[in-house]
Amino acid sequence: MEVSYREEGVASAASSVAGRLVADGVPARLAGGDPTLWGEDAEAEAAARLGWLSLPRHSRELLPVLGELAGRARAAGLTNVVLAGMGGSSLAAQVICDTADVPLTVLDTTDPGQVRRALAEGLSATVVVVAGRSGSTVETDSLLRVYEQHFADAGLDPAGHIVIVTAPGSPLERRAVSAGYQLVPAALSVGGRYSALSAFGLVPAALAGADVERLLDDADEVSPLLSRDTGNPGLELGAALAGAALAGRDKLVLEDQLTAINGLPDWIEELVAESTGKQGRGILPVVGADPNGTRDELVVAIDSDVGDVRVDGPLGAQFLVWEYATALACSVLGVNPFDEPNVAESAAGADALLALPDLPTGAPSFVDGPVEAYGAATAKDLPGLFAELLRAIPGDGYLAVTAYLDRLAAFDAPVPDGADFEQMTDAWMMADPLTLRTLLALRTDRPVTFGWGPRYLHSTGQYHKGGPQNGVFLQITGAVEEDVAVPGRPYTLGRLQLAQALGDLGALETRGRPAVRLHLTDRAAGVARLLAAAQEA
């Protein structure tokens, strides 16, 4: 594992920060699990959340259990592995499986269309890993209820198809025991975004066929370096992140085009944003974007020479080093890396809305074809709205696009007969809401981020509300043609999805930030209109 500085200003700032940390004995104190590093207010929580430091060793106790679990699944013909979990309960497993090139369906969504896609993938061959520290998260609870009902309706015993990963003593553990589900306990001393090498990351990955022992080997190899004052990649990376942020370079542009590790920036995004984004401070990760060369950017590349900092190493080591570096950076920035004080705001807003007879969507400020616009904008059409939002971004700010849609719907786009792969890719791209981020980014030198709802609520959602208040927000929702009931609950997935969007929008609006919701009355036509308008802006 190696971290190298490729820009003089970064090297100087990192050296200054590292010198202070070494003088205070911080590297060894962090590696040893000292909970006092983040101040008196954070000490109690930190003391209960530092178990991730020893996971490269302690998670080896899971290997026999994982081998037996995977063997039984194969013997039963359960080849379709689905992971129902949010944030730290899903992102690491997705990176592990994408990098190992083994199939895993991740459901970190409440979109009815995306859930119906997963349900259509052969229930008799499906094993669902339901993962959550408590299991009380509304998305996790809803998805478990949906799968339980669909297994039963298909004449299948849910106990033969559901695996639960949760903390000992949690409501989800009690539910698993009561229903007779296979249960794998997760370490109590590990929080969600620091759980990559725990049961949350390893159980679904092992079921899908990834070599999880190799991950632990690679993490275990780098672990002894983390107590050192020199030759410590975690110290080097953490000092660079913190030193740059203190110097005003608090936009972390993540570059991974040349690495064999697939999707790591999405995991880093949650880790860094949710750990640092509070008390008006924080580091904003920017994923999938080209650098703009602005004064507030820090470009960190994974296995690539493009950037101010280069981070080389295998996936297991990357997980551990990024966790260490983020926790260390938080000690410099003066924030608690293990809490998420503002995440509950959006959830509370959604709960309150779900209790109403009808969701209060209000009247649109304008309608542009299949798109309705809601919010305080003065524009009268989409090109004007996009231009208005881009002008509203402060000089040190960013634009966040968040989409509560089916992230796989673009693959339904028609392609020309006989189309080659490039033509198919072009067709999919022009049906993908994610393309909006790229088109808007061409028109500003400020960062434009993109998040799928409700996943981002457990990731950058903390930064949006708790970090520096310099964001501009564009939210996209869509009409639901075929909904999915949530058994035992008075709402459908479609109603829940819209309530989550409105709840988060309300939390942002209370902070006085520019925030607009675009509702697609026809999803496919609406996405096409958004992309066309972004090119007209």
Side-chain angles (χ1 to χ4, degrees), residues 151-171:
F151 282 131
D153 289 347
L156 300 169
D157 181 1
H161 293 263
I162 293 176
V163 177
I164 302 293
V165 181
T166 190
S170 72

Side-chain angles (χ1 to χ4, degrees), residues 295-353:
R295 59 176 177 77
D296 57 349
E297 285 183 343
L298 175 71
V299 183
V300 176
I302 311 297
D303 296 336
S304 170
D305 286 334
V306 180
D308 306 309
V309 180
R310 173 171 175 157
V311 184
D312 294 289
L315 181 56
Q318 292 271 3
F319 281 145
L320 185 60
V321 166
W322 276 98
E323 289 167 347
Y324 179 102
T326 300
L328 186 147
C330 286
S331 74
V332 177
L333 298 178
V335 296
N336 178 358
F338 306 115
D339 69 350
E340 47 280 324
N342 305 108
V343 166
E345 294 177 29
S346 298
D351 288 344
L353 292 169

